[in-house]
Amino acid sequence: MSTNPLLKGTLHTIILKLLEGNNRMYGYEITQKVKEASEGGIMLTEGALYPALHKLQAEGLLKATVEIVDGRARKYYQLTGHGGKEATDKINEAQAFIDQLQNILNIKPAVK
Amino acid sequence: MSTNPLLKGTLHTIILKLLEGNNRMYGYEITQKVKEASEGGIMLTEGALYPALHKLQAEGLLKATVEIVDGRARKYYQLTGHGGKEATDKINEAQAFIDQLQNILNIKPAVK
DNA sequence: ATTATATATATAATAAACTTAGGTATATAA
DNA sequence: TTATATACCTAAGTTTATTATATATATAAT
């Protein structure tokens, strides 16, 4: 799988956005949704995802409940009240950053 | 100044893009251009910028020449041949990533 | 039966890329 | 003479990722 240095810093925002739209999700489900929505372009690694989920939970933005489904344990995450506000803020920040980055990347080369 | 974790990974691409459009630039000039193009939203820190320039030079993507202007030393950077090709690739990758991220961040919340 | 793949979570070692803080130095405006 | 702008640089520490490994069940293929 390709390394993706551009992904740095956006993982928390992606998680919060998905949980804003889906009420509750589990880790593996998040990896699949991201893969699907990015048409395979963004593949979350477990080593990045699970620590990120744990951190967001430790910060009080997410709460988790474990359920057994088809004989396997699933850990569902959902936004807390505080997490919901943070989600809105982080998504707005990310959008602003993307817009600014577009402004830079779209600067037309000077005609020689 | 606000910390901007989203910036991670995009700095090299920003530098290459600016040099693709401007033939040659010096470090301080790059910080000002980025600040201007992002309307103050993206402020490069020297601690990130200068090591990045040195790394790109060490990789053979940039070459540098020092000039004294108004009594102060300026280090001008420009793309090498190889750097030009890398610039094109990195910018395309960044654009693809931004598009994929947009797809994720634009996913509409499910109607409850 | 057994092997491979998909589902599902987790952590440790390592590496990359940043922030923060400090240092050096000149020109100019207050 | 003090502050601000210009101009470069590096070191220490932090954050955030990759890579590798571990555990475990369900299901499809051989």
Side-chain angles (χ1 to χ4, degrees):
Chain A
M1 201 204 319
S2 62
T3 52
N4 202 336
L6 295 170
L7 189 59
K8 290 196 177 186
T10 60
L11 181 51
H12 284 206
T13 306
I14 288 171
I15 292 169
L16 293 172
K17 175 65 190 183
L18 288 177
L19 287 173
E20 193 189 55
N22 290 284
N23 184 42
R24 65 175 207 164
M25 297 180 83
Y26 55 100
Y28 186 77
E29 187 184 12
I30 290 172
T31 66
Q32 300 308 302
K33 273 276 190 233
V34 167
K35 187 178 171 183
E36 186 191 317
S38 67
E39 292 171 335
I42 299 177
M43 309 276 280
L44 301 185
T45 60
E46 298 95 331
L49 178 65
Y50 292 113
L53 288 169
H54 301 162
K55 192 178 183 190
L56 289 170
Q57 186 180 7
E59 288 170 349
L61 305 185
L62 305 184
K63 54 190 168 185
T65 51
V66 176
E67 278 181 35
I68 307 297
V69 180
D70 295 330
R72 272 189 297 256
R74 274 185 194 170
K75 198 162 171 183
Y76 281 98
Y77 290 91
Q78 56 184 316
L79 293 176
T80 61
H82 183 220
K85 290 168 203 158
E86 270 288 306
T88 304
D89 290 349
K90 284 247 172 86
I91 293 159
N92 287 338
E93 277 174 34
Q95 195 58 62
F97 175 74
I98 289 168
D99 293 343
Q100 288 154 4
L101 189 54
Q102 284 283 18
N103 281 341
I104 294 167
L105 297 184
N106 287 335
I107 290 172
K108 294 283 180 285
V111 179
K112 292 169 195 170
Chain B
M1 201 207 320
S2 63
T3 52
N4 203 337
L6 295 170
L7 188 59
K8 290 192 180 191
T10 59
L11 180 52
H12 284 206
T13 306
I14 288 171
I15 292 169
L16 293 172
K17 175 66 189 182
L18 289 177
L19 286 173
E20 193 189 56
N22 289 285
N23 183 43
R24 67 176 205 163
M25 296 181 82
Y26 55 98
Y28 186 77
E29 186 183 11
I30 290 173
T31 66
Q32 300 307 303
K33 273 276 190 236
V34 167
K35 187 179 173 183
E36 185 190 317
S38 68
E39 292 170 335
I42 300 177
M43 306 277 281
L44 302 185
T45 60
E46 298 97 330
L49 178 65
Y50 291 113
L53 288 169
H54 300 163
K55 192 177 183 190
L56 290 170
Q57 186 181 7
E59 288 169 348
L61 306 186
L62 305 184
K63 55 188 167 185
T65 51
V66 176
E67 279 182 35
I68 307 297
V69 180
D70 294 330
R72 273 188 295 256
R74 277 185 193 171
K75 198 163 172 182
Y76 281 99
Y77 290 92
Q78 57 184 316
L79 293 176
T80 61
H82 182 221
K85 291 168 200 158
E86 270 289 306
T88 303
D89 290 350
K90 284 249 171 83
I91 292 160
N92 287 338
E93 277 174 33
Q95 194 59 62
F97 175 74
I98 288 169
D99 292 345
Q100 289 155 2
L101 188 55
Q102 283 284 17
N103 282 341
I104 294 167
L105 296 184
N106 286 337
I107 289 171
K108 293 283 179 287
V111 179
K112 292 168 192 170

